[in-house]
Amino acid sequence: MEIARRNLVRWFSGRRLVRAEADDTRIFRGAELRHFTELSGRLESLVRRGKYLLFAFEGGRGLLGHLGMTGKFVRRTEGQGEPYSRARFHLDDGHVLHFSDARMFGRLEPAPAAQLRELDVVKALGRDPLADGLTAGQLEKAVAPSRQPLKVALMDQARITGLGNIHAAEALFRAGIHPSREPASLSPDEWKRLVGAIRATIDFGLKEQEGEEPVYLEEGRSENPFLVYGRAGGPCSRCGTPVESFTQAGRTTHFCPKCQPRSGVHASKPRAGKR
DNA sequence: ACCGCTGTTCTCCG
DNA sequence: TCGGAGAACAGCGG
């Protein structure tokens, strides 16, 4: 999402939106299409909060954007097609920015720019490690109260925002902490390692995609760039032990059983009032 | 050809 | 309230 933001800022820089048009799909979340097609002019600001983008256009109009699973912004030239293009920004330099999204889990919801931060889904977001900074203490305060397994708690956008399934697994691997650990059981040193690992995971992801057009995991890459995600059955990149996977809250979690030992894991479901 | 997976929320139940 | 299951949707690989 941060790469998408940087691309959009660059593409819009010094240019004007001369025409916005789109297909009427669920990405507009029921809003009237004219609220989108009325957008025009300069992009005055583009702020990212977690996985959301807050667009502010000249004239006070705005958009709340989210890529969902398969959404992406791509730049094409006028007249050039783009598969699964759902909405298009025509710029005054002959380029067209497409919001392309096969599964349409993404969102491009028109709203007055001044109100974007007040939308419920935005207000509900926790601290953003990249935009706000994150200390070990802040991470602990946000995540330790969760009764969920640690990886699930890290993906809870109301605690800290921005981590999805891949980055949560990658951060836990870097920190050497098992994804099923009970958040309240982490030591001060583990919180410190985890916050550093989150930062390293984000930095790695940014560096990895720097200057690239948005790509899917499988496109344009011969090889999985992640340390543990998607490597089930294969050797751990650090110790060679076979990587394992299991399901947490409906998502697949990958981890190395040796680098991320099971000590301190949830017994199962901790019951209140145990002694 | 079918089945089971997929960088994400959101709602509906128990 | 919290947490799990299923839904929204379409493609891809085994």
Side-chain angles (χ1 to χ4, degrees):
Chain A
M1 207 63 191
E2 176 60 18
I3 293 295
R5 189 192 70 80
R6 292 179 187 181
N7 283 337
L8 286 166
V9 165
R10 194 172 73 245
W11 293 336
F12 267 102
S13 170
R15 282 136 203 176
R16 293 178 47 83
L17 169 61
V18 292
R19 189 163 64 99
E21 43 89 21
D23 310 310
D24 196 357
T25 66
R26 41 179 291 111
I27 67 166
F28 293 105
R29 288 299 195 278
E32 288 181 47
L33 201 53
R34 68 181 170 83
H35 292 310
F36 178 77
T37 58
E38 281 167 3
L39 295 170
S40 71
R42 295 191 313 114
L43 178 63
E44 289 188 332
S45 76
L46 182 58
V47 168
R48 182 191 56 79
R49 300 294 308 162
K51 304 176 193 175
Y52 289 88
L53 287 180
L54 284 54
F55 294 75
F57 286 91
E58 201 175 339
R61 301 183 204 278
L63 279 177
L64 180 67
H66 194 291
L67 298 180
M69 298 269 276
T70 51
K72 56 181 174 177
F73 288 98
V74 296
R75 185 170 75 161
R76 299 289 181 251
T77 54
E78 197 68 57
Q80 190 179 4
E82 172 63 25
Y84 309 109
S85 173
R86 309 300 184 187
R88 291 156 293 278
F89 302 94
H90 299 260
L91 305 186
D92 62 0
D93 66 350
H95 281 116
V96 184
L97 310 184
H98 293 256
F99 180 73
S100 153
D101 186 1
R103 294 177 73 180
M104 293 193 285
F105 294 170
R107 172 196 294 238
L108 215 51
E109 187 182 347
Q115 290 173 25
L116 291 172
R117 288 170 187 277
E118 303 311 314
L119 296 176
D120 286 347
V121 289
V122 177
K123 271 199 302 190
L125 300 176
R127 208 175 167 83
D128 183 306
L130 183 58
D132 306 329
L134 186 70
T135 66
Q138 289 163 340
L139 178 66
E140 177 177 4
K141 190 174 176 208
V143 175
S146 173
R147 272 345 118 201
Q148 305 262 92
L150 181 57
K151 171 172 167 274
V152 178
L154 289 176
M155 291 171 61
D156 181 347
Q157 303 298 302
R159 298 188 181 278
I160 61 169
T161 187
L163 296 186
N165 196 42
I166 293 180
H167 281 176
E170 293 288 288
L172 288 167
F173 174 77
R174 284 177 186 271
I177 301 174
H178 194 285
S180 296
R181 285 285 298 281
E182 189 175 0
S185 78
L186 267 62
S187 69
D189 179 62
E190 287 175 322
W191 288 114
K192 207 175 290 180
R193 269 157 45 205
L194 186 53
V195 81
I198 289 170
R199 187 70 211 198
T201 298
I202 293 170
D203 289 347
F204 177 81
L206 289 175
K207 193 166 152 217
E208 235 260 326
Q209 297 217 25
E210 218 163 51
E212 290 185 25
E213 298 272 314
V215 289
Y216 286 119
L217 196 57
E218 48 280 318
E219 274 179 17
R221 287 192 192 289
S222 44
E223 174 157 350
N224 175 354
F226 303 112
L227 297 173
V228 72
Y229 178 84
R231 297 190 179 277
C236 167
S237 48
R238 183 187 291 154
C239 77
T241 301
V243 169
E244 296 181 10
S245 71
F246 66 110
T247 298
Q248 288 182 300
R251 313 294 301 278
T252 300
T253 296
H254 297 84
F255 75 105
C256 170
K258 186 166 175 198
C259 298
Q260 298 166 267
R262 257 192 104 71
S263 57
V265 155
H266 272 288
S268 58
K269 276 204 165 165
R271 313 251 329 149
K274 68 172 185 198
R275 75 196 71 187

